[in-house]
Coordinates of all heavy atoms in Angstrom, one line a residue:
F1 N 0.8 -1.2 0.0 CA 0.1 0.0 0.1 C 0.9 1.4 0.0 O 0.3 2.4 0.2 CB -1.0 0.0 1.2 CG -1.8 -1.2 1.3 CD1 -1.5 -2.1 2.1 CD2 -2.9 -1.3 0.4 CE1 -2.3 -3.4 2.2 CE2 -3.7 -2.4 0.4 CZ -3.5 -3.5 1.4
E2 N 2.1 1.2 -0.2 CA 2.9 2.4 -0.1 C 2.9 3.2 -1.5 O 3.0 4.4 -1.5 CB 4.4 2.0 0.2 CG 5.2 2.8 1.3 CD 6.4 2.2 1.7 OE1 7.2 1.7 0.9 OE2 6.6 2.3 2.9
R3 N 2.8 2.4 -2.6 CA 2.9 3.0 -4.0 C 1.7 3.9 -4.1 O 1.9 5.1 -4.7 CB 2.9 1.8 -4.9 CG 3.1 2.5 -6.5 CD 4.5 3.0 -6.7 NE 4.5 3.6 -8.1 CZ 4.8 2.9 -9.1 NH1 5.0 1.7 -9.1 NH2 4.8 3.5 -10.3
F4 N 0.5 3.5 -3.9 CA -0.6 4.2 -4.1 C -1.5 4.0 -2.8 O -1.8 3.1 -2.4 CB -1.5 3.6 -5.3 CG -0.8 3.5 -6.5 CD1 -0.4 2.3 -7.1 CD2 -0.3 4.8 -7.3 CE1 0.3 2.2 -8.4 CE2 0.4 4.6 -8.4 CZ 0.6 3.3 -9.0
D5 N -1.9 5.2 -2.4 CA -2.8 5.2 -1.2 C -4.1 4.6 -1.2 O -4.8 4.7 -2.1 CB -3.0 6.7 -0.8 CG -3.7 6.8 0.6 OD1 -3.2 6.2 1.6 OD2 -4.7 7.6 0.8
N6 N -4.3 3.5 -0.2 CA -5.5 2.9 -0.1 C -5.9 1.9 -1.3 O -7.0 1.7 -1.6 CB -6.6 3.9 0.0 CG -7.8 3.2 0.9 OD1 -7.6 2.6 2.0 ND2 -9.1 3.7 0.4
I7 N -4.9 1.6 -2.0 CA -4.9 0.7 -3.1 C -3.8 -0.2 -3.1 O -2.7 0.0 -2.7 CB -4.8 1.5 -4.4 CG1 -6.1 2.3 -4.7 CG2 -4.4 0.6 -5.6 CD1 -5.9 3.3 -5.8
W8 N -4.2 -1.5 -3.4 CA -3.2 -2.6 -3.3 C -2.4 -2.6 -4.8 O -3.0 -2.6 -5.8 CB -4.0 -4.0 -3.4 CG -3.1 -5.1 -3.4 CD1 -2.5 -5.8 -4.5 CD2 -2.9 -6.3 -2.4 NE1 -1.9 -6.9 -4.3 CE2 -2.1 -7.2 -2.9 CE3 -3.2 -6.2 -1.1 CZ2 -1.6 -8.3 -2.2 CZ3 -3.0 -7.3 -0.2 CH2 -2.1 -8.3 -0.8
C9 N -1.1 -2.5 -4.6 CA -0.3 -2.5 -5.7 C 0.5 -3.8 -5.8 O 1.3 -4.1 -4.8 CB 0.7 -1.3 -5.7 SG 1.8 -1.3 -7.1
H10 N 0.2 -4.7 -6.7 CA 0.7 -6.0 -6.6 C 2.1 -6.4 -7.0 O 2.7 -7.3 -6.7 CB -0.3 -7.0 -7.5 CG 0.0 -8.4 -7.2 ND1 -0.1 -8.9 -6.0 CD2 0.1 -9.4 -8.1 CE1 0.0 -10.3 -6.0 NE2 0.3 -10.6 -7.3
G11 N 2.6 -5.3 -7.9 CA 4.0 -5.6 -8.4 C 4.2 -6.3 -9.6 O 5.2 -6.8 -9.9
D12 N 3.1 -6.5 -10.4 CA 3.2 -6.9 -11.7 C 3.1 -5.9 -12.8 O 2.2 -5.0 -12.8 CB 2.1 -8.0 -11.9 CG 2.4 -9.4 -11.4 OD1 3.5 -9.7 -11.2 OD2 1.4 -10.2 -11.3
F13 N 4.0 -6.0 -13.8 CA 4.0 -5.2 -15.0 C 3.0 -5.6 -15.9 O 3.2 -6.7 -16.5 CB 5.4 -5.1 -15.5 CG 5.7 -3.9 -16.5 CD1 5.1 -2.7 -16.2 CD2 6.5 -4.1 -17.5 CE1 5.5 -1.6 -17.0 CE2 6.7 -3.1 -18.4 CZ 6.2 -1.8 -18.2
S14 N 1.9 -4.9 -16.2 CA 0.7 -5.6 -16.8 C 0.1 -4.6 -17.9 O 0.4 -3.5 -18.0 CB -0.3 -5.9 -15.8 OG 0.3 -6.7 -14.9
E15 N -1.0 -5.2 -18.5 CA -1.7 -4.4 -19.5 C -3.1 -5.1 -19.6 O -3.2 -6.3 -19.6 CB -1.0 -4.5 -21.0 CG -1.9 -3.8 -22.1 CD -1.2 -4.2 -23.4 OE1 -0.1 -4.6 -23.6 OE2 -1.9 -3.9 -24.4
L16 N -4.1 -4.1 -19.7 CA -5.4 -4.5 -19.9 C -5.6 -4.5 -21.5 O -5.4 -3.3 -22.1 CB -6.4 -3.6 -19.2 CG -6.8 -4.0 -17.8 CD1 -7.8 -2.8 -17.1 CD2 -7.6 -5.2 -17.7
T17 N -6.2 -5.5 -22.1 CA -6.2 -5.5 -23.5 C -7.7 -5.1 -24.0 O -8.7 -5.0 -23.2 CB -6.0 -6.9 -24.0 OG1 -7.2 -7.8 -23.7 CG2 -4.8 -7.5 -23.4
A18 N -7.8 -4.9 -25.4 CA -9.0 -4.7 -26.1 C -10.2 -5.6 -25.7 O -11.4 -5.4 -25.8 CB -8.9 -4.5 -27.5
H19 N -9.8 -7.0 -25.4 CA -10.7 -8.0 -25.1 C -11.1 -7.9 -23.7 O -11.9 -8.8 -23.1 CB -10.1 -9.4 -25.5 CG -9.7 -9.4 -26.8 ND1 -8.3 -9.9 -27.2 CD2 -10.3 -9.2 -28.0 CE1 -8.3 -9.9 -28.6 NE2 -9.5 -9.4 -29.0
D20 N -10.6 -6.9 -22.9 CA -10.8 -6.9 -21.4 C -10.1 -8.1 -20.8 O -10.4 -8.5 -19.7 CB -12.3 -6.9 -21.0 CG -12.5 -6.2 -19.7 OD1 -11.7 -5.3 -19.4 OD2 -13.4 -6.5 -18.9
G21 N -9.0 -8.5 -21.5 CA -8.1 -9.6 -20.8 C -6.9 -8.9 -20.3 O -6.9 -7.7 -20.3
V22 N -6.0 -9.7 -19.9 CA -4.9 -9.1 -19.2 C -3.6 -9.8 -19.7 O -3.5 -11.0 -19.9 CB -4.9 -9.3 -17.7 CG1 -3.7 -8.7 -17.0 CG2 -6.1 -8.5 -17.2
I23 N -2.5 -8.9 -20.0 CA -1.2 -9.6 -20.3 C -0.2 -9.2 -19.1 O -0.2 -8.0 -18.6 CB -0.7 -9.0 -21.6 CG1 -1.6 -9.4 -22.7 CG2 0.8 -9.5 -21.8 CD1 -1.2 -8.7 -24.0
I24 N 0.5 -10.2 -18.6 CA 1.5 -10.0 -17.6 C 2.9 -10.0 -18.2 O 3.2 -10.9 -18.9 CB 1.5 -11.0 -16.5 CG1 0.0 -11.2 -15.8 CG2 2.5 -10.7 -15.4 CD1 -0.4 -9.9 -15.1
Y25 N 3.6 -8.9 -18.0 CA 5.0 -8.8 -18.6 C 6.2 -9.2 -17.7 O 7.4 -9.1 -18.1 CB 5.2 -7.3 -19.2 CG 4.3 -7.1 -20.4 CD1 3.1 -6.4 -20.2 CD2 4.6 -7.6 -21.7 CE1 2.3 -6.1 -21.3 CE2 3.8 -7.2 -22.8 CZ 2.6 -6.6 -22.5 OH 1.8 -6.2 -23.6
G26 N 5.8 -9.5 -16.4 CA 6.9 -9.7 -15.5 C 6.7 -9.0 -14.2 O 5.8 -8.2 -14.1
R27 N 7.6 -9.2 -13.4 CA 7.5 -8.6 -12.0 C 8.0 -7.2 -12.2 O 9.0 -6.9 -12.9 CB 8.3 -9.3 -10.9 CG 7.9 -10.6 -10.6 CD 6.5 -10.5 -9.9 NE 6.7 -9.8 -8.5 CZ 5.6 -9.3 -7.8 NH1 4.4 -9.5 -8.3 NH2 5.9 -8.7 -6.7
S28 N 7.3 -6.3 -11.5 CA 7.7 -4.8 -11.7 C 9.2 -4.5 -11.3 O 9.9 -3.8 -11.8 CB 6.8 -3.9 -11.0 OG 5.5 -4.1 -11.5
D29 N 9.6 -5.3 -10.2 CA 10.9 -4.9 -9.6 C 12.0 -5.6 -10.5 O 13.3 -5.4 -10.3 CB 11.1 -5.5 -8.1 CG 10.5 -7.0 -8.0 OD1 10.4 -7.6 -9.0 OD2 10.4 -7.3 -6.9
A30 N 11.6 -6.5 -11.5 CA 12.6 -7.0 -12.4 C 12.5 -6.2 -13.7 O 13.4 -6.7 -14.6 CB 12.4 -8.5 -12.6
T31 N 11.6 -5.4 -13.9 CA 11.6 -4.6 -15.1 C 12.8 -4.0 -15.6 O 13.5 -3.3 -14.6 CB 10.3 -3.5 -15.0 OG1 9.1 -4.2 -14.7 CG2 10.2 -2.9 -16.3
L32 N 13.2 -4.1 -16.8 CA 14.3 -3.5 -17.4 C 14.1 -2.0 -17.7 O 12.9 -1.7 -18.2 CB 14.9 -4.2 -18.6 CG 15.0 -5.7 -18.4 CD1 15.2 -6.5 -19.7 CD2 16.0 -6.0 -17.4
N33 N 15.0 -1.1 -17.5 CA 14.9 0.3 -17.8 C 16.1 0.9 -18.6 O 16.6 2.0 -18.4 CB 14.7 1.1 -16.5 CG 13.4 1.5 -16.2 OD1 12.7 1.9 -16.9 ND2 13.0 1.2 -15.0
P34 N 16.4 0.3 -19.9 CA 17.4 0.8 -20.7 C 17.0 2.1 -21.2 O 16.0 2.3 -21.9 CB 17.6 -0.2 -21.7 CG 16.3 -1.0 -21.8 CD 15.7 -0.9 -20.4
G35 N 17.7 3.3 -21.0 CA 17.4 4.5 -21.5 C 16.0 5.1 -21.1 O 15.5 5.9 -21.6

């Protein structure tokens, strides 16, 4: 609950799709940040 007040932040790097489905791209703490 530290990242966003009163909201559970799970730590997954994700996307909501046009089908209302979900894609998980990996853990947020392992996300790469080149440039």
Side-chain angles (χ1 to χ4, degrees):
F1 303 104
E2 226 169 42
R3 180 75 185 274
F4 304 112
D5 184 47
N6 210 39
I7 285 172
W8 177 289
C9 185
H10 193 54
D12 277 346
F13 194 42
S14 310
E15 177 189 344
L16 274 172
T17 74
H19 303 125
D20 211 25
V22 179
I23 298 168
I24 307 290
Y25 292 99
R27 292 293 297 169
S28 299
D29 52 11
T31 299
L32 309 171
N33 258 312

